[in-house]
Amino acid sequence: MNFKGEQPMGFALFTSAAAAMAAKDALQNLMFDYETNSVLRAEMAKKNLFVKRGVTGTGAVAQAFDQSKRLRTAGNYTPSHYAPPGAYGAPTPASWVPQSYVPPGAPYDPYASYSMPSLQPVARPVVTPVAPAGYMPMQNIKDNPPCNTLFVGNLGENTSETELRGIFSGQPGFRQMKVLRQGRSTVCFIEFADLNSAIAVHNNLQGAIVTSSDRGGMRLQYSKNPFGRKRESVNNQDGGAPGVPGVTTSETTTEPSSSP
DNA sequence: AGCACA
């Protein structure tokens, strides 16, 4: 290899430790330069990336700081502002780094207005109160019941299919993707192997920025018509009788052959 | 603010 000791490196912040580990495994040993046979090596960082959101509004570019450097330079550092690390697993006290910094009076929750009553209590990543780099706040007003296929909206007309594929094809459970051009906007369908994979991506990549799109973050919804699911006739065993579906009261129960 | 393909 050409590099000796001085190798380029980078850090990426994920919405949850689980998501970070999934990405790490997905990208591990990925060959990113076929000419030099350069292979990507991914590790969990020793410290969490501290991300500060720009103050100027929607177009502001997020800036990332090394948490350790920030701790060194921070003036009045009040640990009382830090919340317990929630679902990140019990960290050893020695290596514990404050995870959820809540700016006093300015809590920021990109998923604040998002609620899905029909969602089953599946493990959702703890929402980071500060937007990660590369994400935009995204309102997801109307959504469909969770299924294994995601609908991607808020994509500009010249959104690169290659970029979308790069974003989604590495996600756990990814099956296939279809891009649909609709005049001045683009939509995209992604099928996953199972419901949980779709839910994870729906939550983790909500509002993620697609560079080739000119509309900021993408909107992730569950598809109305999942991949490969034909509209199947539901269990209608009552022969299509209108009104009350076959309610069986104790009085009307018929014995098969009570007569001689 | 837009849901195709089987």
Side-chain angles (χ1 to χ4, degrees):
Chain A
M1 293 302 145
N2 290 343
F3 296 111
K4 282 188 176 178
E6 292 287 332
Q7 297 191 2
M9 65 179 73
F11 297 87
L13 176 66
F14 293 83
T15 50
S16 70
M21 284 192 283
K24 184 200 67 170
D25 293 339
L27 298 177
Q28 192 67 267
N29 297 327
L30 176 76
M31 186 165 303
F32 61 91
D33 189 338
Y34 288 95
E35 295 185 1
T36 62
N37 281 347
S38 298
V39 165
L40 187 138
R41 201 187 63 202
E43 301 171 358
M44 300 296 284
K46 292 176 182 169
K47 294 176 182 262
N48 292 306
L49 198 61
F50 184 90
V51 177
K52 180 182 183 182
R53 188 172 69 105
V55 230
T56 8
T58 57
V61 177
Q63 295 173 295
F65 301 93
D66 186 331
Q67 179 77 40
S68 59
K69 284 174 188 156
R70 178 179 174 85
L71 285 177
R72 244 180 271 130
T73 55
N76 31 2
Y77 171 82
T78 46
S80 58
H81 291 145
Y82 289 89
Y88 285 87
T92 57
S95 67
W96 185 76
V97 177
Q99 193 105 37
S100 311
Y101 173 73
V102 181
Y108 175 73
D109 181 359
Y111 304 114
S113 61
Y114 175 78
S115 68
M116 171 63 71
S118 60
L119 266 186
Q120 299 305 311
V122 68
R124 290 186 66 178
V126 170
V127 171
T128 315
V130 182
Y135 285 73
M136 291 278 292
M138 176 58 59
Q139 309 253 354
N140 203 348
I141 322 278
K142 282 223 190 288
D143 205 337
N144 304 298
C147 65
N148 75 331
T149 304
L150 295 183
F151 173 87
V152 191
N154 198 38
L155 298 173
E157 55 183 329
N158 37 28
T159 300
S160 145
E161 170 163 354
T162 309
E163 184 181 6
L164 290 176
R165 192 164 294 277
I167 293 174
F168 291 110
S169 65
Q171 299 298 322
F174 172 88
R175 266 233 247 268
Q176 56 175 313
M177 193 191 87
K178 186 182 185 72
V179 173
L180 198 69
R181 308 281 177 181
Q182 294 184 330
R184 67 180 40 184
S185 75
T186 302
V187 294
C188 174
F189 299 89
I190 308 130
E191 186 199 22
F192 292 88
D194 57 279
L195 178 63
N196 283 334
S197 300
I199 293 178
V201 171
H202 177 279
N203 296 337
N204 290 335
L205 292 185
Q206 188 65 263
I209 293 201
V210 182
T211 317
S212 53
S213 169
D214 50 358
R215 304 195 187 175
M218 65 169 107
R219 166 170 36 255
L220 289 174
Q221 298 174 300
Y222 298 105
S223 175
K224 291 175 185 169
N225 305 100
F227 255 110
R229 303 284 179 281
K230 279 191 175 180
R231 176 176 291 273
E232 46 187 273
S233 59
V234 216
N235 8 323
N236 261 342
Q237 288 127 332
D238 59 351
V244 191
V247 172
T248 306
T249 59
S250 54
E251 312 296 324
T252 59
T253 309
T254 356
E255 294 298 325
S257 54
S258 54
S259 308

